[in-house]
Amino acid sequence: MTYSIINEIVNKPPEQGGSLFIATLGEQKTLPLHELYSMAGQVANGLLAQGITAGDTIGILSDNCLEWVLLDLAALRIKVRTAGFDPGKFTAEPSLVRDYQLKCLFTDKKVDTACTAIRDIKAINAFLADFPATLPSVEYTPDDTTTIKFTSGSTGIPKGLAATVGSIDASLHGVQRIFAHGPEDSLFVFLPLSLLQQRYWIYSALKYGHDIVLSNYQSAFVFMAQRQPTVVMGVPAFFEAARQHILRQGGDEAAMKTQARALFGERIRYLWTGSAPADTATLDFYLQMGLPLYEGYGMNETCIVTKNHPGASRPGSVGLVIDGKKVVIDDNGNVIVYSEYPVNTRYLYAPEGASEKIFTPEGGVCTGDLGFIDKDGFLYIKGRSDNVIVLDNGKKIDVQPIEARLRNEGAITECVIFSPQQTELVAVISPASTPADTQAIHAALKSVNAITEKDEFISRLVIASQPFSIDNGLLTSQYKPIRKAIFERYQHELNTAVKELHHDH
């Protein structure tokens, strides 16, 4: 199958309507998509005038904004590759330009450097007055790469991966086949644009004529109901925070449904989640509210692999495999993904040996996840192979289900379980309030321990001195705990907790 979405959206204005709405606390703006296309052409000509040419790489380190969108679309128009840097993980400094061979880095951060390659992202607005919108056509092949995306960094320094046009096109086609986004739709996007999947929806709008509302995490709850989207895409932590907000309002089911509509708007067709496991309680709640929350599965190295969707949804699963993907479960239960159009076959930036651990010679991606496929083709993810703790008695413990049970307790926002001495399980808790409600947290632990097997018993808690966050380096931009960083931050407390237990014994 030949895909051509990227070639279509870069070489001709959008044929249908649709608008981009910028909806953040710092900026509100509406742009018809045909105007967005024209502005991207002007920015592209501005980049060319500054000596940036096909084959170069530009970096973007910025919060979500119109300029981010324009730079990305402009780069596509002239075959310049983008590297989207997560502001929560990277800082705008000359080493970034050097390490990733950037022609220049556009940022909204204040920079104290004489490096001329680091530029204020707002400066591109001058191009809109000085340059024409027309450009020669360009032609992408499926193997061409348009962007460097970075892994979440939950297990160390983010690895850089150059994404192919074929993988982007295939993902857009696969999603469109099952969700049929069209002119009546408005997709609410608030996760960082440094995540390539968030930019998918901009490309989708240009192709299929639906609206896009671009916000950010800080502004999402302010603008959702105001902008009346039909689709909201977020990580499980976002939907769990919304659920807790609705529950705190109190009332019966009818009252909660009213609260949910007040929060998300009256036009919701469905809600989309992925990137981390969603708790069953969260999924069930939104179904009860009449706002179906569809969980999917994928990773940077694979793009979207599976998705629950209307007419084919099975709670507990991450959905059916989308077109262009194949999932194989090996003899040890590991999930291996094959793509008709791979994202790539190795990392562009990574420590030596990292590519060989993930990408197989046969073109597969070893995801590191454990799972199974049921008789109807639905994929179930049972946990991470590297999150299985082997105790000194040989017992293997998958800690993710235990962590999920603790997260369902109101006093606990997030938790990560370790076993420093391979003897007992110790949980590091991110409290739901500051100061932490230690009495409620210990009661939650007692409740969870009451329904677990002996080897899954959590012997001790370490309550984090401050809740996990992106700013303190303990959550990724997709709000997943960074286990390595949490272990290093609380290593002393974890080892002390175990020693105390041995002393008590």
Side-chain angles (χ1 to χ4, degrees):
M1 183 181 289
T2 301
Y3 297 113
S4 60
I5 291 178
I6 294 298
N7 282 326
E8 282 187 44
I9 67 171
V10 299
N11 289 319
K12 60 181 181 180
E15 295 177 351
Q16 305 184 64
S19 295
L20 169 69
F21 300 92
I22 306 294
T24 69
L25 295 175
E27 181 182 25
Q28 291 93 53
K29 188 175 291 186
T30 301
L31 279 176
L33 292 179
H34 65 83
E35 188 176 332
L36 181 72
Y37 178 86
S38 179
M39 293 168 69
Q42 292 175 292
V43 172
N45 277 312
L47 295 177
L48 291 171
Q50 294 198 344
I52 297 166
T53 58
D56 288 338
T57 301
I58 61 170
I60 307 173
L61 194 161
S62 168
D63 292 330
N64 289 355
C65 60
L66 175 59
E67 290 80 9
W68 217 126
V69 177
L70 288 172
L71 276 170
D72 184 57
L73 295 177
L76 283 174
R77 298 281 295 275
I78 54 176
K79 299 195 82 168
V80 165
R81 193 158 59 181
T82 58
F85 295 101
D86 181 347
K89 293 197 195 73
F90 296 92
T91 54
E93 53 191 30
S95 61
L96 207 62
V97 176
R98 182 180 64 250
D99 292 348
Y100 296 103
Q101 292 88 50
L102 306 177
K103 193 67 175 282
C104 61
L105 173 68
F106 293 94
T107 184
D108 64 348
K109 311 306 173 193
K110 290 184 178 179
V111 179
D112 183 19
T113 177
C115 178
T116 57
I118 300 179
R119 304 174 186 177
D120 184 346
I121 195 170
K122 297 291 183 183
I124 71 164
N125 288 310
F127 300 157
L128 302 176
D130 297 340
F131 291 96
T134 56
L135 287 160
S137 295
V138 296
E139 187 70 24
Y140 284 99
T141 70
D143 292 332
D144 285 335
T145 59
T146 68
T147 191
I148 301 169
K149 56 181 181 174
F150 295 90
T151 61
S152 65
S154 58
T155 54
I157 297 171
K159 296 180 281 290
L161 184 72
T164 62
V165 169
S167 68
I168 297 169
D169 278 343
S171 295
L172 288 168
H173 271 279
V175 169
Q176 182 64 12
R177 188 185 69 78
I178 57 179
F179 285 109
H181 298 133
E184 298 301 314
D185 279 309
S186 175
L187 278 59
F188 193 89
V189 173
F190 64 88
L191 293 178
L193 289 173
S194 54
L195 302 168
L196 175 59
Q197 187 184 342
Q198 303 310 299
R199 277 128 67 198
Y200 281 180
W201 314 127
I202 309 289
Y203 310 156
S204 172
L206 290 166
K207 167 65 175 175
Y208 301 113
H210 57 76
D211 290 339
I212 285 286
V213 180
L214 178 65
S215 189
N216 55 30
Y217 205 98
Q218 296 76 19
S219 308
F221 286 118
V222 175
F223 288 102
M224 270 193 308
Q226 187 181 119
R227 293 290 355 154
Q228 294 288 308
T230 61
V231 181
V232 176
M233 297 165 167
V235 294
F238 171 80
F239 290 110
E240 176 58 19
R243 178 174 84 104
Q244 293 297 335
H245 171 80
I246 295 166
L247 290 173
R248 282 195 295 271
Q249 309 308 305
D252 57 14
E253 183 175 323
M256 286 194 293
K257 284 183 176 179
T258 300
Q259 287 290 337
R261 291 289 175 178
L263 198 60
F264 287 93
E266 297 290 340
R267 297 180 62 223
I268 293 294
R269 179 154 75 94
Y270 74 92
L271 307 174
W272 168 303
T273 195
S275 85
D279 292 334
T280 302
T282 304
L283 296 169
D284 290 346
F285 175 80
Y286 283 99
L287 190 61
Q288 183 185 7
M289 293 297 100
L291 303 173
L293 176 60
Y294 293 119
E295 189 173 12
Y297 174 73
M299 53 194 294
N300 270 299
E301 294 82 354
T302 63
C303 284
I304 302 165
V305 178
T306 65
K307 192 70 186 174
N308 283 295
H309 57 91
S313 178
R314 188 156 295 177
S317 82
V318 290
L320 296 172
V321 179
I322 70 169
D323 289 349
K325 302 290 182 184
K326 182 174 77 169
V327 173
V328 173
I329 310 296
D330 73 7
D331 293 342
N332 295 315
N334 295 296
V335 177
I336 303 171
V337 174
Y338 296 85
S339 303
E340 183 180 358
Y341 290 96
V343 175
N344 214 304
T345 56
R346 63 180 300 101
Y347 293 113
L348 188 62
Y349 301 102
E352 187 176 348
S355 293
E356 289 73 17
K357 288 181 180 178
I358 296 290
F359 301 99
T360 73
E362 300 79 31
V365 174
C366 299
T367 65
D369 290 314
L370 301 170
F372 68 92
I373 299 173
D374 70 14
K375 61 182 179 59
D376 297 316
F378 286 87
L379 175 64
Y380 292 75
I381 300 298
K382 304 308 292 179
R384 295 282 300 169
S385 57
D386 53 5
N387 290 343
V388 174
I389 291 174
V390 182
L391 298 176
D392 59 0
N393 63 4
K395 177 75 172 180
K396 294 181 178 179
I397 308 295
D398 180 4
V399 298
Q400 284 193 324
I402 310 171
E403 292 168 349
R405 288 197 287 270
L406 280 165
R407 280 197 305 270
N408 281 333
E409 301 290 335
I412 298 170
T413 299
E414 189 57 84
C415 76
V416 180
I417 295 172
F418 301 98
S419 184
Q421 305 293 330
Q422 306 306 118
T423 51
E424 298 95 358
L425 301 183
V426 185
V428 181
I429 298 296
S430 176
S433 61
T434 305
D437 187 342
T438 55
Q439 185 174 351
I441 290 172
H442 283 281
L445 174 64
K446 184 175 181 181
S447 172
V448 169
N449 275 340
I451 59 171
T452 61
E453 299 178 16
K454 177 184 175 184
D455 286 315
E456 296 180 349
F457 192 90
I458 299 172
S459 301
R460 180 72 185 273
L461 294 177
V462 174
I463 299 175
S465 54
Q466 56 180 255
F468 304 163
S469 71
I470 295 173
D471 290 340
N472 64 23
L474 301 182
L475 292 181
T476 72
S477 61
Q478 298 180 63
Y479 296 85
K480 292 188 284 189
I482 303 176
R483 290 177 182 270
K484 184 174 183 290
I486 294 166
F487 180 81
E488 290 172 352
R489 183 80 54 90
Y490 293 100
Q491 188 169 9
H492 174 73
E493 290 90 337
L494 284 163
N495 284 316
T496 302
V498 173
K499 289 173 184 173
E500 287 176 357
L501 284 163
H502 282 307
H503 180 75
D504 291 344
H505 289 168

